[in-house]
Amino acid sequence: MNNGPGGARIAAWAQIKADVLDRPISTVTAEEPGVLGAAIAGFMGLRTFDTLSHAQQLLVRVARRFQPRPHTRDFYRALGLLFEQA
């Protein structure tokens, strides 16, 4: 039973990750990105590809890219400082 997209495919979560990590985040077109990642790891173990980068270029298709938003990034950074103090 499919209950909708997993967390890795939800736009709001991807944007939050980009803001918190202060780096671009991409979502992929794969229906099951975790399974795709496991398959890529298996291919690497079998030495099917020379590098992880090469495997990603051939097997992963980006659906959408999320850029960190400076105002939100600063908000999360401030929350992180409060968390550390607690």
Side-chain angles (χ1 to χ4, degrees):
M1 177 191 330
N2 186 349
N3 293 322
R9 297 184 63 195
I10 297 173
W13 283 119
Q15 185 62 63
I16 289 169
K17 284 190 267 186
D19 295 339
V20 168
L21 298 173
D22 194 23
R23 63 182 296 161
I25 296 292
S26 298
T27 57
V28 298
T29 60
E31 287 293 319
E32 297 288 343
V35 173
L36 176 59
I40 291 171
F43 284 133
M44 291 305 298
L46 293 170
R47 301 188 193 286
T48 304
F49 299 100
D50 294 333
T51 65
L52 180 59
S53 178
H54 185 228
Q56 287 175 310
Q57 289 172 3
L58 293 175
L59 301 174
V60 177
R61 299 289 172 255
V62 172
R64 187 169 170 195
R65 294 188 194 280
F66 296 84
Q67 297 296 328
R69 300 171 296 184
H71 68 284
T72 309
R73 177 197 60 215
D74 294 343
F75 171 76
Y76 287 121
R77 188 172 291 151
L79 283 179
L81 292 173
L82 288 173
F83 179 78
E84 286 178 15
Q85 291 173 356

